[in-house]
């Protein structure tokens, strides 16, 4: 596509404000998009506060999600309560190493990776940064795309609890960690959605473009 | 640096497109049918026109709604252990959290993520694109409807649910024998149709028609 200058320029450098929902551009200073009705902000520095707020509650919810049981399993007369990590270890010991990896990646590696990545991105846009904008933007893409997949474990608990209700032979019920884990995923998704990746590219990635 | 905004007349602004991800500014040029115009610096897809896309998206959205009715009413999965058996529908899985005080709120979220949001998005897309496909003016509130549909996109989690089913089944399989009901296959098909539907929509063309049509 044809760029609007000698080199790639941002709408902001050109004195325009772009709608993040429908990609329409307007003269700087306009407040709502005339096409889709979204609020227009050239750069929303207040969004960083929302990012940090959602991220903080996300991390807080992640702690009990790992301390409390995710599943309460009862087979005949023996009862067991598994946390996320203990459940994955048990699967691995039973030979299901592939599935144990899926659980560990989706429920441990991805959430923690997301906390670090979102925190790093939020810090990086406020100061000059070594990592090039293209790399940081790719990181943002990955966080946004992959974050939802952490919900897998919540769905697994839902399916198991609905399916395995076999009188006194066996039953599986959700533990309290299911809800805190789900909330942690939702809050970190909101943190990622609140982040405005356009800030990564300002002044060619050389720090904030405040006016 | 001179200010290029001065060179662009105000009424020419609707021929410009700014990348929603990185704010790079372009003159909007429709790529040839079937090709995609992507942002040069962050590779976000900006424009991707398809011949007859509206009709196809509507057909796929209708398929989503029909399949979802089937997937929630037919039996989904059943387990057998030593003479005891239990079956669960998709709705049962979503409502597994109901009897547990605070857990009930989780049931609401799960129902929303795997059933309500995909159906609502399909319905909104039909509402928005129906009149456009027939060459009529958009219905009242079409822009708002399309905006809501786009905002809800990350919260539609049917594809994640089906992977969750696969993981859950490997956990159950050494405890019990599992039977697949028709709803299982419907839901698997649903995931494919949702992906095709979202892939066939060209946001830029849709917003442009909504703009000029009302």
């Amino acid at each position: 596509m044809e760029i609007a200058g000698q080199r790639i320029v941002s709408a902001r450098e050109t004195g325009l404000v772009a709608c993040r929902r429908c990609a329409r551009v307007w003269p700087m200073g306009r407040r709502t998009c005339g096409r889709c009705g979204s609020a227009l902000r050239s750069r929303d520095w207040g969004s960083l506060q929302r990012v940090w707020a959602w991220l903080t509650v996300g991390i807080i919810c992640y702690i009990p999600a790992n301390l409390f049981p995710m599943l309460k399993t009862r087979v005949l007369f023996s009862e067991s309560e598994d946390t996320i990590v203990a459940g994955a270890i048990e699967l691995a010991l039973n030979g299901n190493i592939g599935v144990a990896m899926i659980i560990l990646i989706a429920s441990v590696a991805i959430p923690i990776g997301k906390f670090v990545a979102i925190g790093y991105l939020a810090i990086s846009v406020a100061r000059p940064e070594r990592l090039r904008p293209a790399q940081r933007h790719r990181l943002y893409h990955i966080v946004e795309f992959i974050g939802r997949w952490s919900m897998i474990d919540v769905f697994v608990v839902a399916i198991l609890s609905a399916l395995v209700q076999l009188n006194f032979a066996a039953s599986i019920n959700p533990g309290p960690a299911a809800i805190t884990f789900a909330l942690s995923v939702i809050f970190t998704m909101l943190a990622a959605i609140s982040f405005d990746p356009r800030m990564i590219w300002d002044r060619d990635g050389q720090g904030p473009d405040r006016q | 640096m001179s200010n290029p905004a001065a060179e662009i007349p105000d009424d020419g602004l609707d021929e410009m497109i700014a990348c929603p991800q990185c704010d790079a500014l372009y003159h909007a040029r429709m790529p040839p049918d079937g090709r995609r115009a992507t942002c040069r610096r962050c590779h976000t897809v900006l424009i991707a026109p398809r011949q007859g896309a509206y009709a196809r998206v509507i057909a796929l959205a209708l398929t989503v709604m029909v399949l979802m009715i089937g997937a929630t009413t037919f039996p989904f999965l059943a387990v057998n252990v030593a003479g005891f058996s239990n079956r669960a529908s998709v709705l049962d899985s979503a409502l597994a959290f109901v009897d547990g005080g605070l857990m009930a709120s989780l049931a609401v979220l799960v129902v929303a993520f795997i059933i309500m949001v995909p159906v609502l998005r399909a319905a909104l897309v039909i509402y928005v694109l129906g009149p456009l496909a027939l060459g009529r003016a958009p219905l009242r509130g079409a822009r708002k409807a399309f905006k809501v549909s786009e905002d809800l996109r990350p919260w539609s989690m049917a594809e994640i649910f089906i992977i969750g089913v696969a993981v859950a089944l490997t956990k159950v399989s050494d405890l019990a024998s599992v039977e697949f009901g028709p709803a299982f296959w419907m839901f698997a098909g649903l995931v494919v149709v949702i992906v095709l539907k979202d892939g066939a929509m060209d946001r830029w063309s849709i917003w442009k028609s909504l703009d000029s049509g009302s």
Side-chain angles (χ1 to χ4, degrees):
Chain A
M1 200 139 55
E2 196 182 323
I3 57 176
Q6 306 288 315
R7 56 186 186 91
I8 296 181
V9 288
S10 68
R12 181 183 177 85
E13 287 172 285
T14 323
L16 299 169
V17 54
C19 175
R20 285 204 66 203
R21 177 46 70 213
C22 70
R24 175 83 154 87
V25 290
W26 300 95
M28 190 71 87
R30 199 180 158 115
R31 292 184 167 230
T32 49
C33 177
R35 179 189 275 172
C36 70
S38 303
L40 294 176
R41 282 199 190 85
S42 181
R43 292 295 178 273
D44 185 3
W45 287 96
S47 74
L48 284 181
Q49 282 181 23
R50 288 198 300 280
V51 172
W52 284 116
W54 288 124
L55 189 61
T56 310
V57 281
I59 294 172
I60 291 171
C61 287
Y62 189 66
I63 297 167
N66 278 280
L67 297 179
F68 289 102
M70 192 85 169
L71 278 178
K72 296 174 181 172
T73 313
R74 194 179 52 73
V75 179
L76 292 177
F77 301 105
S78 66
E79 266 190 62
S80 67
E81 298 193 328
D82 284 334
T83 58
I84 294 171
V85 177
I89 291 171
E90 195 176 312
L91 270 171
L93 291 178
N94 289 337
N96 286 322
I97 292 180
V99 180
M101 289 303 292
I102 292 182
I103 297 283
L104 281 180
I105 290 171
S107 313
V108 181
I110 291 179
I112 293 177
K114 256 184 90 170
F115 298 146
V116 175
I118 296 174
Y120 165 73
L121 286 171
I123 293 170
S124 82
V125 294
R127 65 196 181 101
E129 185 52 48
R130 268 198 221 117
L131 217 55
R132 284 201 303 277
Q135 292 166 317
R136 277 186 282 153
H137 200 118
R138 196 171 308 138
L139 180 66
Y140 174 73
H141 260 312
I142 294 169
V143 165
E144 210 192 13
F145 174 77
I146 252 174
R148 315 155 60 235
W149 286 90
S150 298
M151 274 305 223
I152 279 188
D153 223 18
V154 177
F155 294 145
V156 169
V157 173
I159 298 152
L160 287 178
S161 320
L163 201 55
V164 186
Q165 294 296 341
L166 299 157
N167 236 324
F168 63 84
S171 72
I172 294 181
N173 286 303
I179 188 157
T180 52
F181 186 80
L183 287 176
S184 173
V185 176
I186 290 168
F187 290 146
T188 31
M189 278 177 73
L190 288 169
I193 290 170
S194 305
F195 184 74
D196 181 353
R198 300 178 301 184
M199 295 190 289
I200 292 172
W201 295 89
D202 282 340
R203 304 206 298 128
D204 291 323
Q206 295 300 304
D209 177 16
R210 290 183 208 260
Q211 279 176 359
Chain B
M1 197 181 116
S2 69
N3 183 3
E7 300 154 21
I8 304 164
D10 253 18
D11 55 344
L13 285 183
D14 65 341
E15 291 307 320
M16 310 289 290
I17 179 169
C19 174
Q21 293 280 337
C22 77
D23 212 25
L25 188 63
Y26 302 94
H27 294 288
R29 297 271 184 278
M30 285 314 240
D33 198 51
R35 300 286 296 276
R36 309 189 300 180
T38 54
C39 175
R40 285 201 201 174
R41 63 180 185 186
C42 77
H43 312 296
T44 304
V45 176
L46 297 176
I47 311 179
R50 295 269 187 292
Q51 195 72 46
Y54 291 170
R56 190 186 313 173
V57 172
I58 291 168
L60 291 169
L62 282 171
T63 315
V64 167
M65 298 178 83
V66 173
L67 279 177
M68 189 62 94
I69 294 169
T72 44
T73 49
F74 285 105
F76 186 58
L77 294 168
V79 286
N80 295 299
V81 185
F84 293 103
S85 70
N86 182 44
R87 53 180 53 202
S89 68
V90 171
L91 205 56
D92 292 333
S93 317
L95 296 176
F97 298 109
V98 158
D99 41 77
L102 246 182
M103 293 284 201
S105 52
L106 193 51
V108 174
L109 287 175
V110 174
V111 171
F113 290 155
I114 64 177
I115 301 172
M116 301 311 287
V117 172
V119 169
L120 179 63
R121 289 194 69 226
L124 289 171
V125 160
I126 293 170
Y127 183 82
V128 171
L129 294 186
L132 296 183
L134 297 171
R136 302 214 183 120
L139 296 170
R140 266 171 71 97
R143 301 181 202 187
K144 179 102 185 157
F146 193 53
K147 182 168 140 46
V148 171
S149 162
E150 288 294 285
D151 286 341
L152 283 176
R153 199 174 177 193
W155 307 101
S156 169
M157 299 189 176
E159 75 276 27
I160 302 171
F161 179 73
I162 206 79
I163 302 291
V165 172
V167 173
L169 290 186
T170 52
K171 278 195 171 191
V172 176
S173 59
D174 34 283
L175 188 78
S177 66
V178 181
E179 284 168 33
F180 296 92
F184 177 82
W185 306 110
M186 287 184 181
F187 207 91
L190 187 71
V191 169
V192 177
V193 177
I194 290 176
V195 171
L196 289 176
K197 183 196 82 175
D198 279 324
M201 281 201 277
D202 175 25
R203 274 89 190 158
W204 177 253
S205 312
I206 296 173
W207 280 121
K208 239 178 137 55
S209 347
L210 290 179
D211 204 16
S212 53
S214 54

